[in-house]
Amino acid sequence: MLSTREKILQTAEALLSEQGIASTSLREITRHAEVNLAAVNYHFGNKQQLVFEVFQCRLDALNNERLQLLDEVIGNSDKISLEAVLRALIYPALMLSRDTEKGGSRFVKLIARLYAENNKELHTFLANHYGHVMKRFAITIQTILPDMPSQELRWQLDFVIGALTYVMADFSGHFSKSGKPKLDAISEADRLVAFAAAGMRSFQPRSAQTDLFVATDNKTQQTTTNQT
Amino acid sequence: MLSTREKILQTAEALLSEQGIASTSLREITRHAEVNLAAVNYHFGNKQQLVFEVFQCRLDALNNERLQLLDEVIGNSDKISLEAVLRALIYPALMLSRDTEKGGSRFVKLIARLYAENNKELHTFLANHYGHVMKRFAITIQTILPDMPSQELRWQLDFVIGALTYVMADFSGHFSKSGKPKLDAISEADRLVAFAAAGMRSFQPRSAQTDLFVATDNKTQQTTTNQT
DNA sequence: GTCTATACAATGATAGAC
DNA sequence: GTCTATCATTGTATAGAC
């Protein structure tokens, strides 16, 4: 027999990721879980905390898988390829987002919903649970691309995470009326890996990079890089 | 004197993008706008429609600016550079997201919040208001990179839009406790343009692309491209 | 057509009994 | 730990004034 807390957590994950946060009432959750309404407040404090805890376990599992893959990549060869590292970052996430059996795809949509809330609590929450993972990836990549300033690397990692989040949440179809033929997770991940790797490798110290742009009469092209 | 409808729209934009959708009640909006609560339902039907209309004018302005820039790029030279095209896509959005004076940055956060709702109405809404813009960019890029299959181009454009959305909403700081020194919009846009251009140019027909990956025992690397 | 006052069901949250 | 009862607030709907 599951504890009241567990019953709430499992029911909440299913309902929240299926219907969204705002559209799922605590009463609906407790009714399906066959527990009392007040039990939510007793065990989790309020609705937001419940939502956080719902995906915390999933988030930890995802990041652990990423780190394990990264360890394998580092351990298996002394010359690490950039693609392999990016793969360790991207694959687990995209596989999870395409896994309908264990509810992974629903969970991913829940993450996307949470993203948009964009509040302070979520900020610190993500910093605590994602921060060390991103840092490890950044450090590893820096051994592969030693000429890239660490700040530049962080921006580029943001680009990659942004693109990943976007395709994970399946926003992709939004811009075409017809929709788009689905690709399997592997192919889609491979494409993103190749795209990201090329983008990262393209970096070269400022100067030769801006010639190609067509000039607009905006502010002058001041580009100060404060770091080596 | 502003019409009731206008007062609601302006107040709603400010409050919604500042506090989020769920946290802003219709009563708060009407109180600040000094109009009656029922006026919202009369003029907009319901809360969701109000939210849509709030950013519709902003969205149109953004896309018109993009298309105008694209026209300039196409008109000014017979050999169009990929960077210039991506710039027309990225610059207006990133400039808007960094414009605190005219409320652009707040508006951008509102977009990000809406993204996560991920409902059917928003899907068709975005298809109607973004679809033709993306199509024009895709067509233009295809003249620059004629060897890229149009499907591949759509995925890559999704990657770019994803990365753009991410940095626009300023999610960037989420993964580090310390935060990150802000860059001006121009520099950040230039970085994303260079990153995206390199990623797009990196495409080459399947086969030579997968060698570098570390093998996992997942599904075989089936990648069918049904389109030229 | 435009606006107002009012009512209603549902929600998240809490206090207190057991 | 669990439950009942209750609260203020929410989005929405309607009837009627101008």
Side-chain angles (χ1 to χ4, degrees):
Chain A
M1 185 57 178
L2 271 63
S3 69
T4 301
R5 194 189 148 88
E6 280 301 320
K7 282 195 282 189
I8 295 176
L9 275 176
Q10 292 192 8
T11 313
E13 177 177 346
L15 291 178
L16 283 174
S17 47
E18 203 159 313
Q19 309 172 343
I21 299 172
S23 311
T24 305
S25 68
L26 293 182
R27 283 173 173 82
E28 190 178 0
I29 294 175
T30 53
R31 183 161 23 93
H32 278 81
E34 292 171 329
V35 300
N36 189 275
L37 168 65
V40 171
N41 257 272
Y42 175 76
H43 284 285
F44 302 97
N46 56 27
K47 187 179 181 180
Q48 181 161 204
Q49 275 303 313
L50 169 62
V51 176
F52 277 12
E53 296 215 30
V54 158
F55 83 30
Q56 177 163 356
C57 49
R58 286 264 197 179
L59 200 60
D60 287 346
L62 172 63
N63 281 327
N64 286 338
E65 197 181 341
R66 281 168 159 168
L67 291 178
Q68 189 186 332
L69 273 176
L70 182 61
D71 282 336
E72 289 180 18
V73 169
I74 295 177
N76 279 357
S77 64
D78 35 311
K79 185 142 186 68
I80 312 167
S81 89
L82 178 57
E83 276 81 359
V85 174
L86 289 174
R87 220 184 168 202
L89 178 70
I90 292 171
Y91 263 52
L94 219 42
M95 293 298 290
L96 181 65
S97 77
R98 296 295 179 266
D99 162 43
T100 51
E101 283 188 19
K102 280 170 280 180
S105 60
R106 289 179 310 176
F107 163 69
V108 166
K109 293 197 174 182
L110 177 58
I111 289 191
R113 289 182 211 274
L114 257 182
Y115 256 106
E117 303 274 318
N118 203 20
N119 56 35
K120 260 281 191 289
E121 290 101 357
L122 180 67
H123 190 293
T124 61
F125 182 86
L126 285 179
N128 290 336
H129 287 262
Y130 262 112
H132 69 288
V133 180
M134 289 305 141
K135 194 157 197 168
R136 273 216 57 196
F137 275 92
I139 291 175
T140 308
I141 292 178
Q142 218 152 17
T143 66
I144 307 174
L145 303 173
D147 290 339
M148 182 164 350
S150 66
Q151 268 195 16
E152 184 72 30
L153 177 58
R154 289 169 73 184
W155 278 305
Q156 300 208 354
L157 264 181
D158 274 339
F159 297 155
V160 178
I161 295 292
L164 177 59
T165 307
Y166 195 79
V167 294
M168 275 174 73
D170 227 3
F171 289 150
S172 338
H174 278 160
F175 294 138
S176 61
K177 288 174 188 169
S178 55
K180 197 176 54 181
K182 294 254 193 234
L183 212 58
D184 59 296
I186 298 275
S187 302
E188 202 160 5
D190 281 344
R191 283 173 158 83
L192 180 53
V193 166
F195 184 87
M200 288 191 150
R201 269 199 265 264
S202 75
F203 173 80
Q204 38 185 322
R206 323 300 297 171
S207 69
Q209 202 163 351
T210 54
D211 328 51
L212 288 172
F213 298 134
V214 173
T216 61
D217 44 7
N218 274 323
K219 302 166 192 168
T220 54
Q221 201 104 8
Q222 46 175 13
T223 313
T224 49
T225 311
N226 300 327
Q227 200 166 342
T228 335
Chain B
M1 186 54 178
L2 271 62
S3 69
T4 301
R5 194 189 150 88
E6 280 302 319
K7 281 194 284 190
I8 294 176
L9 275 176
Q10 291 192 8
T11 313
E13 177 177 345
L15 291 178
L16 283 174
S17 47
E18 204 158 314
Q19 310 172 342
I21 299 171
S23 311
T24 305
S25 68
L26 293 182
R27 284 174 173 80
E28 190 177 1
I29 294 174
T30 54
R31 184 161 23 92
H32 279 80
E34 293 172 327
V35 300
N36 189 274
L37 169 64
V40 172
N41 255 272
Y42 174 76
H43 285 285
F44 302 97
N46 57 26
K47 186 179 181 180
Q48 181 161 207
Q49 274 304 313
L50 169 63
V51 177
F52 278 11
E53 295 214 31
V54 158
F55 83 27
Q56 177 163 354
C57 51
R58 285 264 197 182
L59 200 61
D60 288 345
L62 172 63
N63 281 327
N64 286 338
E65 198 181 340
R66 282 169 159 168
L67 291 179
Q68 189 186 332
L69 272 176
L70 183 60
D71 282 335
E72 289 179 18
V73 169
I74 295 178
N76 279 356
S77 63
D78 35 312
K79 187 145 184 66
I80 312 166
S81 89
L82 178 58
E83 275 81 359
V85 174
L86 289 174
R87 219 183 169 202
L89 178 70
I90 292 171
Y91 263 51
L94 219 44
M95 292 299 290
L96 182 65
S97 77
R98 296 296 179 267
D99 162 42
T100 51
E101 283 189 19
K102 279 170 280 179
S105 61
R106 289 179 309 175
F107 163 69
V108 166
K109 293 196 175 183
L110 176 58
I111 289 191
R113 288 183 213 274
L114 258 182
Y115 257 107
E117 304 274 318
N118 204 21
N119 56 34
K120 260 282 191 289
E121 290 101 357
L122 180 67
H123 190 292
T124 61
F125 182 85
L126 286 179
N128 290 336
H129 286 263
Y130 262 111
H132 68 289
V133 181
M134 288 306 141
K135 194 155 196 169
R136 274 215 58 195
F137 275 92
I139 290 175
T140 308
I141 293 178
Q142 219 152 17
T143 67
I144 307 174
L145 304 173
D147 290 338
M148 181 164 351
S150 67
Q151 269 196 15
E152 185 72 31
L153 178 58
R154 288 169 74 183
W155 278 304
Q156 299 208 353
L157 264 181
D158 274 339
F159 297 155
V160 178
I161 295 294
L164 176 60
T165 307
Y166 195 80
V167 294
M168 275 174 73
D170 229 3
F171 289 149
S172 338
H174 278 160
F175 294 138
S176 60
K177 286 174 189 169
S178 56
K180 197 175 55 180
K182 293 256 194 233
L183 213 58
D184 59 295
I186 298 276
S187 302
E188 203 160 3
D190 281 344
R191 282 173 159 83
L192 181 52
V193 166
F195 184 87
M200 288 191 150
R201 270 199 265 264
S202 77
F203 173 79
Q204 38 185 322
R206 324 298 298 172
S207 68
Q209 202 163 353
T210 54
D211 326 52
L212 288 171
F213 298 134
V214 173
T216 60
D217 44 6
N218 274 321
K219 304 167 193 168
T220 54
Q221 201 103 12
Q222 46 174 13
T223 313
T224 49
T225 311
N226 300 326
Q227 202 165 343
T228 335

